[in-house]
Amino acid sequence: MEATMLYEMDASASAQIHPLAQAHTPTTRRFNRVLSFMSWMVTLERAMEAENEPVDGSAVDPVLRQAEAVRAELVAEAENLLDIPPHRPTDGSLHRLGFLLFLDLTMTDAQECRNLHNLTADHPELFTVEGSDTAAHQTRAMQAQFFKLFDQMGDLGEFGGEGYSCEQWQDPAPVPA
């Protein structure tokens, strides 16, 4: 943990001296962690929804606990993302996605989650990243991965989707670095 903090401080100082040489900001690094936890959560939730054979509670409990722990980590990562001040304009786009995810994860009504997913799909202009520089391209790639995972979350029964059966289940796409 301490090495990570030192790395972030060093990267932040480097970004202030050479802003264009900095490939990742603290926001983009945190957002990559969010994507990783989203992928893990989708994988666990899909596996749980695809389980259509009755099993005893001892087999389900560890998977359920792991899924709950991953979801809690994802909520914490989204909150941590929102706490990081933007270092460049494209970081604001990632903050908006973090807020969208945080809302989705903290809603208690599946129909409200479904409405949020539909609203997001109907208004992509809310998430447009302007620019043709490296940071804009990098952010758009992260956004594309986010929306792929966000759509997969929306398909889950917990988020108002139809859920998954064993025949539909597949691994989510890998997260870009």
Side-chain angles (χ1 to χ4, degrees), residues 25-28 81 85-96 139:
T25 64
T27 299
T28 58
L81 173 70
H87 284 75
R88 57 185 176 205
T90 55
D91 288 349
S93 300
L94 300 178
H95 280 217
R96 286 192 296 279
T139 302

Side-chain angles (χ1 to χ4, degrees), residues 8-141:
E8 288 178 4
M9 288 172 36
D10 180 52
S12 180
S14 173
Q16 292 172 7
I17 297 168
H18 305 289
L20 298 178
Q22 180 64 29
H24 282 287
T25 64
T27 299
T28 58
R29 281 193 304 275
R30 180 65 62 183
F31 195 80
N32 275 326
R33 287 183 52 85
V34 166
L35 291 174
S36 180
F37 277 105
M38 281 178 78
S39 179
W40 193 9
M41 188 190 88
V42 166
T43 299
L44 290 170
E45 294 289 339
R46 280 181 165 181
M48 286 181 7
E49 286 188 5
E51 183 63 53
N52 51 356
E53 290 182 25
V55 293
D56 65 64
S58 64
V60 173
D61 284 347
V63 176
L64 182 59
R65 278 195 302 276
Q66 183 181 23
E68 289 172 350
V70 169
R71 184 184 181 120
E73 285 290 326
L74 180 55
V75 169
E77 288 298 324
E79 288 176 324
N80 291 337
L81 173 70
L82 296 173
D83 288 340
I84 299 171
H87 284 75
R88 57 185 176 205
T90 55
D91 288 349
S93 300
L94 300 178
H95 280 217
R96 286 192 296 279
L97 295 178
F99 183 68
L100 174 67
L101 177 64
F102 181 77
L103 284 176
D104 199 32
L105 291 169
T106 56
M107 287 182 171
T108 56
D109 182 80
Q111 187 55 46
E112 287 298 318
C113 289
R114 176 81 276 144
N115 292 340
L116 182 64
H117 282 259
N118 290 340
L119 181 67
T120 302
D122 291 345
H123 296 285
E125 72 278 1
L126 296 173
F127 306 99
T128 301
V129 175
E130 301 294 332
S132 59
D133 61 341
T134 303
H137 287 289
Q138 177 185 8
T139 302
R140 283 193 286 271

